[in-house]
Amino acid sequence: MSNIPWQDKPENSKDVMWRYSENPIIDRYAIPSSNSVFNSAVVPYGDGFAGVFRCDNKAVQMNIFAGFSKDGIHWDINHEPIEMKAGNTEMIDSDYKYDPRVVFIEDRYWITWCNGYNGPTIGIGYTFDFKEFFQCENAFLPFNRNGVLFPQKINGKYAMLSRPSDNGHTPFGDIYISYSPDMKYWGEHRCVMKASHFEDSAWQCTKIGAGPIPILTDEGWLMLYHGVINTCNGFRYSMGAAILDTNEPDKVKYRTQPYLLAPAELYEQVGDVGNVVFPCAALHDTKEDRLAVYYGAADTVVAMAFGKLSEVIEFTKNNSL
């Protein structure tokens, strides 16, 4: 698509990815009830864009809200959270919802999120119009986070990345893949990628988790992900990239040893949770060789970064762990 948000690289920049000069694009008080708006998902929709946004209210209750935009930068977010109807199950209990991802598959938009059901697990739902939403069975038992669907079936089955965890602010975590014939029953769990050794790549040595929906390229599936190091000042979240095999995405072909983007700007370093770059969505235009990434900054606001798709792929191949 040719109308994705874009800003050319600054003349003095030598980075593979660069920040939007008007960051953050969504402020923490974007709707009247919000304490923060971050870790949100965006997709093309109609002649513009639609999204599902994590908005924590002033009681710090976590929920997801729908929103629309003409240009992918200026957003009109609903003031009330998404109200789910029964999809493939009558069990739609949820103590909280956060960190959504959105993808169009076949005939509808699928949403995944961290769903509170006796602890964090992966919630699944769908919509056709971002006005009416249907909740499905949770994908897994607690505890799990970072459920990210592939945009098409693989070998005839739906595929989802996830990060098994514990009930708290998990001090560990690797990326797994699971498959489903029907978006209800999930199995064939395989380990995709583990946190690195400290000596090899310290920025991703504590835990890792899938970010935006993977992008199919000639080299394989481009998967942007977050990596975490546990420092003396707490967790620090950065963004990297990996390329997974097209037909067997549990096989990693390349993985960045250096990060692509790490907390450096004030809005990434200071907020409710400092030092966080957390990617949740990416728009791409293969013809124009453009990649636009939405990320949560400091668990407080939404920001954007840009890159040339071909350069991100080459960087991943040439700087592989």
Side-chain angles (χ1 to χ4, degrees), residues 7-157:
Q7 188 176 66
D8 288 333
K9 181 189 290 191
E11 289 186 8
N12 60 347
S13 174
K14 300 187 186 313
D15 294 325
V16 178
M17 298 202 69
W18 57 95
R19 295 166 176 82
Y20 180 45
S21 64
E22 301 300 318
N23 274 344
I25 64 165
I26 302 177
D27 182 71
R28 67 183 304 164
Y29 302 125
I31 61 175
S33 64
S34 64
N35 165 78
S36 49
V37 184
F38 60 108
N39 297 4
S40 302
V42 170
V43 289
Y45 179 75
D47 60 354
F49 304 89
V52 178
F53 298 85
R54 173 177 177 172
C55 302
D56 294 3
N57 67 18
K58 291 180 174 65
V60 195
Q61 294 172 302
M62 304 164 191
N63 216 327
I64 55 177
F65 295 64
F68 298 90
S69 173
K70 289 293 185 183
D71 61 6
I73 294 176
H74 302 92
W75 287 89
D76 181 13
I77 301 173
N78 294 345
H79 291 184
E80 297 297 326
I82 292 169
E83 185 173 337
M84 294 288 180
K85 299 180 179 180
N88 64 16
T89 177
E90 294 298 320
M91 201 295 292
I92 59 173
D93 296 348
S94 183
D95 297 321
Y96 49 77
K97 297 180 178 74
Y98 64 80
D99 295 358
R101 275 75 163 184
V102 181
V103 60
F104 183 81
I105 307 176
E106 296 172 332
D107 65 344
R108 67 195 68 186
Y109 297 88
W110 290 92
I111 304 102
T112 55
W113 65 88
C114 183
N115 192 49
Y117 179 71
N118 299 298
T121 185
I122 305 302
I124 304 177
Y126 63 86
T127 183
F128 296 97
D129 56 9
F130 289 90
K131 296 177 182 177
E132 190 175 35
F133 293 81
F134 299 88
Q135 187 168 336
C136 300
E137 282 284 342
N138 293 324
F140 310 116
L141 292 168
F143 308 114
N144 207 319
R145 294 178 173 87
N146 299 303
V148 180
L149 289 164
F150 283 76
Q152 65 188 53
K153 289 181 178 178
I154 298 175
N155 301 318
K157 297 175 183 177

Side-chain angles (χ1 to χ4, degrees), residues 1 4-5 42-44 49 72 215 281-285 290-294:
M1 57 178 302
I4 68 172
V42 170
V43 289
F49 304 89
I215 298 169
L283 304 171
H284 69 283
D285 184 335
R290 292 177 174 181
L291 177 67
V293 178
Y294 294 81

